[in-house]
Amino acid sequence: MYTQEMQEAIKIVEQTRERRLKETFPRLKPEEKENLLRSYHPDYKPDATRVVKVGPNKGDKFTHEHADLLESRSMLDPDTFSLDNIDFDVDVLVIGGGGAGTSAALLAHEAGAKVMIATKLRHGDANTMMAEGGIQAADKENDSPAIHYLDVMGGGGFYNIPELVAALVLDAPLCIQWLESLGCMFSKFPDGTMHTIHGGGTSRKRMHFAHDYSGAEIMRTLRDEARNRGIPVIEFSPAVELIIDEYGQCAGAVLYNLETEQFLVVRAKTVIIATGGSGRLHIGGFPTTNHYGATADGIVMAYRAGAKLIYLDATQFHPTGVAFPEQIVGQLVTEKVRGLGAQLVNAEGEQFIYPLETRDAVSSAIIRECKERKKGITTPSGMQGVWLDSPMIDIIHGKGTIERELPAMFRQYKRFNINMAEQPILVYPTLHYQNGGILINDKAETSIPNLYVAGEASGGVHGRNRLMGNSLLDIIVFGRRAGMNAAERAKSVKLGRLTLDHVKRYHEELRKEGLGQKVAPILLPDYRGKISG
């Protein structure tokens, strides 16, 4: 429930609403956007990154939180850990049980491979499940993959790798058809045509969705299909190190069972990393929308093995994370709210940014409004935020639209006695997505033979900023490609003796730099804090 002071602040928003319904805030010019980003986006803070001292990207700048992990030693002692006893022997090992990993496993299974999923928590505990807004695909008459391509490139600041963007947009319509054929229930008109809306940075309405739980619906569909096909899943067993054979090929991974605290050795002809992002590192001290397992494990393992990383200094802060109530600070308020017509307004009830600018620009504008212009609203805990005028949605589209189109979010706020159909909600940027990651090609291959990557753990497709709806698309497109290509590759792979020699070499590099005091991957965030006394 809003405090009395906050309820008084809401009256100012209500007073300007009728006028604002007739207003369209002007879009940013390219030079205005560039200046806004450089002045206020957290990525551009001078102290946001530091040089990495070891590994394939030695000399490059990454966030402090990522650099700390990359400069840490392995959980395993490569001199004493034995790989002689093989616990599982498969064609394709998929590390990660989210949307990308499950898509990969399904396609590998279809190709006849013996496949296994190893996942840190339960099957489906992933950022996929947390995604709300939708999935992009250019499948309407007024749209095309070429237009989608231009939107993606522009959204990423033209840093995107073109071949990856081409794969993303060309596969998109097929992926929507594939998901629907598996039973994914997208929101539709009475005639069966799919609803599509705008997202930030899109020039066409190509956002397909399932109300405001699109990711959960997609994950449900994929998980059910994997279970129906009998694909084995090892839960609560994250990978902690890749295995490289004597010929330099990826040849499996070492898992760590969180329940028994035992290590498991998996020999695999091909390996697919689908471990997701790194929100639980809380880069820059921001809260996050990510699930508890998002700790950059795949990046750490691949980097030690020699895989190059790209754009790991580019972090996406979703403009609209919950700023109040405190119990759910940082949780996602989907871009769909703005796509349906809600405006961002300051303490004076005025717009200050076009609502559907790209996420990096909107986040920067909100930070500027609160930090420099001092036009934010302060919560009882001292957090700042701006209003997202959600009641505009029912005014524009008719009473009941919010409850129908955003049912999960509506119920979430009702738990705290806030009716978002009648009262605006308070938002502030939240750590949402890892724009960069492990460098891949359009087959989802890394530079390490037999190692593939799909989803948020990969880098290059989104450039330095991802558009809404392209993450759910990314996991399906490159999950499928990774699964198909890994299964095909496995047919001809001949593995040599299993080793952890790459870990030995990495530890020696750390020693020479006086590093390696910490251990990574961390597997789970530690929120216990320090106990005084």
Side-chain angles (χ1 to χ4, degrees):
M1 180 181 294
Y2 288 126
T3 64
Q4 185 62 42
E5 291 82 0
M6 296 172 85
Q7 290 178 29
E8 290 298 318
I10 287 173
K11 291 179 181 179
I12 299 173
V13 177
E14 293 171 340
Q15 290 168 3
T16 63
R17 186 177 292 146
E18 186 174 353
R19 168 173 56 78
R20 287 186 288 103
L21 280 164
K22 304 169 187 175
E23 293 178 352
T24 300
F25 200 85
R27 300 289 297 265
L28 291 171
K29 297 175 182 177
E31 60 273 17
E32 292 175 330
K33 181 176 179 179
E34 182 67 18
N35 289 336
L36 178 64
L37 295 177
R38 291 194 175 277
S39 299
Y40 300 100
H41 195 279
D43 281 354
Y44 289 91
K45 291 178 65 176
D47 59 349
T49 60
R50 66 176 172 85
V51 170
V52 177
K53 298 180 180 178
V54 294
N57 288 81
K58 182 177 180 179
D60 290 351
K61 285 189 173 182
F62 293 147
T63 68
H64 293 277
E65 294 80 1
H66 283 114
D68 285 346
L69 295 184
L70 299 177
E71 294 175 351
S72 298
R73 70 181 188 277
S74 175
M75 184 184 293
L76 306 179
D77 181 347
D79 293 316
T80 61
F81 189 86
S82 174
L83 299 174
D84 294 338
N85 296 319
I86 308 299
D87 296 287
F88 300 97
D89 206 342
V90 297
D91 295 328
V92 180
L93 170 63
V94 180
I95 303 173
T102 309
S103 296
L106 289 171
L107 269 290
H109 182 266
E110 282 182 17
K114 182 181 179 182
V115 60
M116 183 180 85
I117 298 173
T119 188
K120 182 187 297 188
L121 301 174
R122 299 167 301 177
H123 189 190
D125 284 340
N127 284 346
T128 303
M129 187 68 80
M130 316 286 281
E132 297 174 358
I135 176 171
Q136 286 202 46
D139 57 4
K140 295 293 179 74
E141 289 184 1
N142 70 332
D143 203 358
S144 70
I147 298 173
H148 189 183
Y149 177 93
L150 292 174
D151 286 349
V152 176
M153 293 294 290
F158 296 95
Y159 289 97
N160 322 56
I161 297 175
E163 65 174 312
L164 299 183
V165 180
L168 184 79
V169 302
L170 290 171
D171 284 10
L174 170 65
C175 289
I176 297 293
Q177 294 172 16
W178 180 65
L179 287 170
E180 190 174 27
S181 74
L182 297 180
C184 188
M185 299 178 68
F186 290 106
S187 297
K188 296 182 178 181
F189 292 104
D191 66 356
T193 305
M194 289 191 189
H195 280 283
T196 52
I197 60 171
H198 273 301
T202 61
S203 60
R204 298 290 188 276
K205 293 182 178 181
R206 70 171 71 92
M207 199 72 55
H208 303 66
F209 56 89
H211 296 290
D212 63 340
Y213 43 79
S214 304
E217 174 61 15
I218 288 172
M219 192 67 244
R220 176 199 66 80
T221 302
L222 297 173
R223 183 174 54 194
D224 285 357
E225 188 67 19
R227 288 176 176 174
N228 290 340
R229 295 188 190 181
I231 295 173
V233 180
I234 309 299
E235 295 184 319
F236 299 104
S237 297
V240 295
E241 207 66 69
L242 294 176
I243 297 170
I244 304 296
D245 75 2
E246 60 186 311
Y247 306 121
Q249 303 176 111
C250 190
V254 178
L255 312 181
Y256 177 69
N257 188 299
L258 295 174
E259 296 176 305
T260 66
E261 299 184 349
Q262 293 177 317
F263 292 102
L264 302 168
V265 176
V266 183
R267 180 167 59 192
K269 294 176 181 176
T270 57
V271 174
I272 300 171
I273 288 177
T275 51
S278 53
R280 290 291 163 175
L281 301 184
H282 294 288
I283 292 164
F286 277 77
T288 185
T289 62
N290 287 193
H291 83 112
Y292 283 100
T295 52
D297 302 355
I299 283 174
V300 172
M301 292 184 289
Y303 192 71
R304 276 199 198 115
K308 196 152 177 85
L309 308 178
I310 186 172
Y311 302 147
L312 208 55
D313 59 331
T315 303
Q316 180 162 96
F317 297 88
H318 196 289
T320 53
V322 176
F324 183 87
E326 281 86 350
Q327 295 93 325
I328 54 172
V329 162
Q331 286 193 21
L332 179 65
V333 175
T334 174
E335 201 161 309
K336 184 179 177 182
V337 179
R338 285 173 283 139
L340 289 168
Q343 295 172 347
L344 289 160
V345 296
N346 60 26
E348 297 175 356
E350 300 297 339
Q351 292 191 78
F352 55 89
I353 187 74
Y354 177 69
L356 291 178
E357 291 284 358
T358 55
R359 287 176 173 177
D360 51 358
V362 180
S363 293
S364 301
I366 293 173
I367 291 170
R368 177 181 63 184
E369 207 68 14
C370 293
K371 301 294 186 184
E372 181 181 283
R373 295 178 174 175
K374 309 297 182 184
K375 294 183 180 180
I377 296 86
T378 304
T379 71
S381 65
M383 187 168 181
Q384 290 273 301
V386 297
W387 295 116
L388 182 56
D389 198 5
S390 49
M392 294 181 69
I393 295 172
D394 275 9
I395 295 172
I396 294 169
H397 301 286
K399 188 173 177 60
T401 301
I402 286 180
E403 198 165 356
R404 183 180 68 251
E405 296 295 334
L406 303 162
M409 189 177 303
F410 182 81
R411 291 194 300 270
Q412 174 178 267
Y413 276 101
K414 284 290 283 185
R415 287 170 52 213
F416 299 98
N417 295 315
I418 294 173
N419 184 343
M420 64 178 291
E422 298 177 359
Q423 299 170 299
I425 54 181
L426 201 64
V427 296
Y428 192 79
T430 181
L431 178 56
H432 186 53
Y433 193 80
Q434 176 183 282
N435 288 316
I438 305 162
L439 182 62
I440 61 170
N441 62 18
D442 60 359
K443 294 181 179 179
E445 297 171 319
T446 69
S447 57
I448 301 170
N450 306 344
L451 180 63
Y452 299 77
V453 184
E456 194 172 350
S458 72
V461 65
H462 304 296
R464 301 188 66 86
N465 178 65
R466 177 181 63 79
L467 296 185
M468 172 192 180
N470 281 341
S471 59
L472 287 177
L473 179 59
D474 177 1
I475 64 173
I476 305 300
V477 168
F478 289 99
R480 284 168 51 91
R481 285 184 173 230
M484 285 187 288
N485 291 314
E488 182 62 29
R489 170 75 176 170
K491 294 175 183 178
S492 60
V493 168
K494 302 294 182 185
L495 294 177
R497 178 177 56 86
L498 306 186
T499 82
L500 291 173
D501 289 348
H502 68 290
V503 181
K504 292 181 184 179
R505 292 191 295 270
Y506 202 82
H507 280 187
E508 179 59 22
E509 194 175 355
L510 289 171
R511 188 191 64 78
K512 289 179 178 177
E513 293 291 340
L515 301 169
Q517 290 77 25
K518 298 178 181 178
V519 174
I522 61 172
L523 301 182
L524 291 169
D526 187 353
Y527 294 123
R528 292 173 296 183
K530 295 181 180 179
I531 300 174
S532 60

